Amino acid sequence: MDNNIEKTSNQNTPKFINSRFKIIIAFIAISISVIYLVISSFSSATTNYLSVKDAIDESQNSDTNLGVIGKLVPNTFRRSTDGLTAYFSITDEFSNEQLSVSYSGEIGEIFFNENAEIIIQGKMQQDGVFLTNTLSIKCPSKYVDNLEDGEDYS
């Protein structure tokens, strides 16, 4: 009879250790999966913003998403006949190079002025046109009037 009790207790211990081991393995697997998803989502969500010259140089070497900051080249903005696509060129103050841009999306009534920084994200196409559907405008003149009135934004 003592042998039966001893066998039963020996049989229960491996099952307990076995189930604990499975839980630990499952926890490790889930942790690794979560860490992988966090790292991959952050790396795909971040964009390095480049100057126009750097974007032209970079786009020749890769097919990745780029962020570009530049200023509108005067007299280059035009819309397609259907009004859904805008074409324009941007440049930066550090070079004379221009980047032709095709933007598909909504453009509000107030679009560009000479002082506005244009921030775009997209890919360079084979024909040398930067295709984007993300466009933001940073307009420093919007804040100049408030600073002249004595408001402090620091």
Side-chain angles (χ1 to χ4, degrees):
M1 188 115 164
D2 290 332
N3 286 341
N4 287 341
I5 294 173
E6 200 172 300
K7 286 181 183 178
T8 306
S9 64
N10 286 341
Q11 290 174 351
N12 288 339
T13 305
K15 287 182 182 179
F16 176 71
I17 292 174
N18 195 15
S19 65
R20 179 178 271 182
F21 181 71
K22 288 179 182 178
I23 291 172
I24 291 171
I25 293 297
F27 179 75
I28 291 172
I30 290 170
S31 298
I32 290 172
S33 299
V34 168
I35 290 170
Y36 171 76
L37 290 174
V38 167
I39 290 172
S40 65
S41 67
F42 279 127
S43 65
S44 66
T46 57
T47 301
N48 290 332
Y49 288 91
L50 307 171
S51 67
V52 171
K53 182 179 182 342
D54 292 340
I56 291 171
D57 294 342
E58 180 76 23
S59 65
Q60 294 172 356
N61 300 327
S62 69
D63 189 34
T64 60
N65 253 354
L66 298 175
V68 184
I69 299 176
K71 292 192 177 206
L72 179 68
V73 176
N75 301 320
T76 60
F77 178 75
R78 62 182 166 69
R79 288 184 194 250
S80 63
T81 54
D82 61 5
L84 300 175
T85 305
Y87 303 97
F88 55 92
S89 294
I90 60 173
T91 188
D92 58 29
E93 54 201 44
F94 305 111
S95 71
N96 292 331
E97 296 191 51
Q98 295 182 6
L99 179 64
S100 297
V101 178
S102 173
Y103 170 70
S104 297
E106 185 176 335
I107 299 176
E109 290 295 320
I110 301 173
F111 183 52
F112 299 131
N113 69 40
E114 296 174 2
N115 301 320
E117 281 189 321
I118 300 169
I119 304 166
I120 56 177
Q121 291 180 2
K123 291 184 178 184
M124 185 68 79
Q125 301 300 301
Q126 294 293 334
D127 60 359
V129 175
F130 192 84
L131 181 63
T132 182
N133 56 9
T134 303
L135 178 128
S136 300
I137 299 179
K138 181 178 170 185
C139 182
S141 63
K142 174 178 161 183
Y143 305 105
V144 171
D145 293 335
N146 291 339
L147 288 174
E148 288 174 355
D149 293 338
E151 292 182 32
D152 187 14
Y153 289 98
S154 55

